[in-house]
Amino acid sequence: MHPVILAIESSCDETSASVIQHSKVLNNVIASQTVHHKYGGVVPELASRAHQQHILDVVNEAMTTAGILPSSLNAIAFTKGPGLMGSLLVGVSFAKGMALALGIPLIEVNHMEAHVLAHFINDPKPSFPFLCLTVSGGHTQLVKVKDYLDMEVIGETQDDAVGEAFDKAAKIMGLPYPGGPLIDEYAKEGNPRAYSFPDTAMQGLNFSFSGIKTAFLYFLRDRLAEDAAFVEKNRNDICASLQSHLISMLMQKLRRAANETGIKQIAIAGGVAANSGLRGAIRDAAAKNRWEVFIPDLQYCTDNAAMIAMAAHYKFLQNKFTTLDVAPVANLAIGI
Ligand code: KG4
Ligand code: ZN
């Protein structure tokens, strides 16, 4: 059977809905929340309120533009976690209500697995096994993907996520949230070798990004003590140097994982996979190491319901449904 599924994503600060039919994603409606910009990070209470305001319109738009009637749906999918509890609750409750009213099954989706499965929305698609570097605002993971729903985390951050390092560094420079895309823009005009930062590498395949955040804070404090306009005068070079340092920390572990596993199909996923420097670095490494690389469209890197729909499609085919007493989970590991 080729199911028709409505998927809802509400784990952080994007309210999104998508309809998938016969394994083809028909749309990807996203309402982004701007209310957090002035606070320098996502405010959980404001996020869940904004989800409540947006969810009905977002779902209606996804259904209308897909040309699908509710009676044609075979299942409703939602993000179970990981994410912000108040945000997740809005999506889970909405999905439960629709499933109950329509008398169709529910499908829970792990947000991080969905980031990986975004690779199956469009061609070219990787084959199994492949390695995926999943980099977002909340996670930094090296995942060995053995099958659609069989993934093993072989390395991950022991403290901050790399997206958090981008966002916190941006905040220290006085840039609004989310700072990752802004650092990317300024970095394009800067010299990546202008400043150097300490290497805070972990053993094995794990990452650590909290040290670089502190080092960056002290670096700016010392420079600003000498020249109050240091950031304004050197913003492009600071961004380029920091970004290239963070990328080299990611690439070092990715190369190691590829060598240790012998896997040559390499993918990146998650919000930080939208970074132009990382996309370039992975293409360069592909040429050097004879990797075949998979880089999702920008709209499928940051949070979106299309990836939830894609994951739900594979769960439907394996009869992996969820009962109505399901609750969201803030910290949910891959594979659970
Ligand atoms: O996957 P995502 O949308 O949400 C989470 O699941 O966390 O990732 C958001 C993260 C934020 O930290 C944001 O700054 C970062 O992805 N990000 C970027 C870029 N676009 C988004 N970081 C660096 N460069 C970008 N172009
Ligand atoms: Zn995400």
Side-chain angles (χ1 to χ4, degrees):
M1 180 189 184
H2 289 295
V4 186
I5 305 171
L6 166 72
I8 295 167
E9 153 65 27
S10 72
S11 64
C12 191
D13 58 346
E14 324 272 6
T15 318
S16 182
S18 168
V19 177
I20 186 166
Q21 182 184 34
H22 304 173
S23 80
K24 281 223 79 58
V25 165
L26 300 184
N27 54 22
N28 183 35
V29 180
I30 302 177
S32 295
Q33 303 178 2
T34 49
V35 60
H36 310 287
H37 290 190
K38 59 178 180 283
Y39 298 103
V42 177
V43 183
E45 174 64 20
L46 296 179
S48 70
R49 287 178 194 213
H51 282 302
Q52 280 184 337
Q53 281 161 8
H54 294 146
I55 195 157
L56 189 58
D57 288 345
V58 166
V59 166
N60 273 338
E61 189 180 332
M63 294 294 289
T64 313
T65 55
I68 296 285
L69 292 171
S71 56
S72 307
L73 291 173
N74 299 111
I76 310 284
F78 64 93
T79 303
K80 180 178 182 180
L84 299 171
M85 188 47 91
S87 294
L88 292 165
L89 264 171
V90 177
V92 177
S93 311
F94 197 95
K96 277 188 195 179
M98 269 192 89
L100 194 61
L102 296 170
I104 54 175
L106 268 178
I107 300 175
E108 67 184 52
V109 171
N110 178 300
H111 182 85
M112 298 313 294
E113 276 186 0
H115 268 304
V116 174
L117 293 173
H119 284 285
F120 294 90
I121 297 172
N122 286 330
D123 287 331
K125 301 178 175 78
S127 52
F128 302 110
F130 67 94
L131 272 184
C132 189
L133 173 68
T134 313
V135 276
S136 72
H139 291 77
T140 304
Q141 297 181 324
L142 276 162
V143 186
K144 186 173 171 184
V145 189
K146 300 172 201 168
D147 207 336
Y148 297 111
L149 303 176
D150 185 5
M151 302 183 191
E152 182 191 350
V153 177
I154 57 172
E156 64 187 325
T157 183
Q158 302 298 299
D159 41 57
D160 292 353
V162 64
E164 219 174 326
F166 268 103
D167 295 339
K168 285 184 177 162
K171 189 175 177 185
I172 295 168
M173 280 191 284
L175 299 173
Y177 177 85
L182 295 170
I183 290 186
D184 193 357
E185 278 312 304
Y186 290 121
K188 285 177 187 159
E189 308 296 323
N191 172 9
R193 276 180 281 279
Y195 307 104
S196 58
F197 299 101
D199 215 338
T200 55
M202 297 287 291
Q203 295 218 313
L205 294 175
N206 287 332
F207 303 89
S208 166
F209 291 101
S210 67
I212 178 77
K213 182 184 65 190
T214 316
F216 187 71
L217 182 70
Y218 290 145
F219 160 80
L220 275 197
R221 186 195 60 184
D222 294 348
R223 300 296 175 119
L224 285 168
E226 291 161 14
D227 177 2
F230 175 73
V231 173
E232 285 84 82
K233 287 182 195 159
N234 303 289
R235 187 172 282 124
N236 295 344
D237 286 350
I238 300 170
C239 289
S241 302
L242 178 75
Q243 176 171 301
S244 115
H245 186 69
L246 292 173
I247 291 172
S248 80
M249 288 169 79
L250 293 171
M251 293 304 296
Q252 197 186 322
K253 298 292 177 168
L254 183 57
R255 275 192 299 271
R256 185 176 177 149
N259 287 339
E260 284 182 9
T261 59
I263 296 175
K264 290 204 171 282
Q265 287 200 87
I266 310 286
I268 49 171
V272 181
N275 184 270
S276 59
L278 180 59
R279 293 165 91 88
I282 217 126
R283 288 195 184 100
D284 290 348
K288 279 195 200 110
N289 300 292
R290 296 171 185 270
W291 291 347
E292 192 183 351
V293 293
F294 299 87
I295 303 175
D297 281 359
L298 287 178
Q299 62 165 326
Y300 302 133
C301 289
T302 44
D303 289 348
N304 66 88
M307 68 185 193
I308 307 298
M310 204 64 242
H313 171 79
Y314 295 115
K315 293 195 94 169
F316 190 103
L317 297 185
Q318 294 187 21
N319 288 315
K320 293 202 158 128
F321 299 111
T322 305
T323 52
L324 276 170
D325 58 1
V326 63
V329 180
N331 300 309
L332 187 69
I334 265 185
I336 292 180

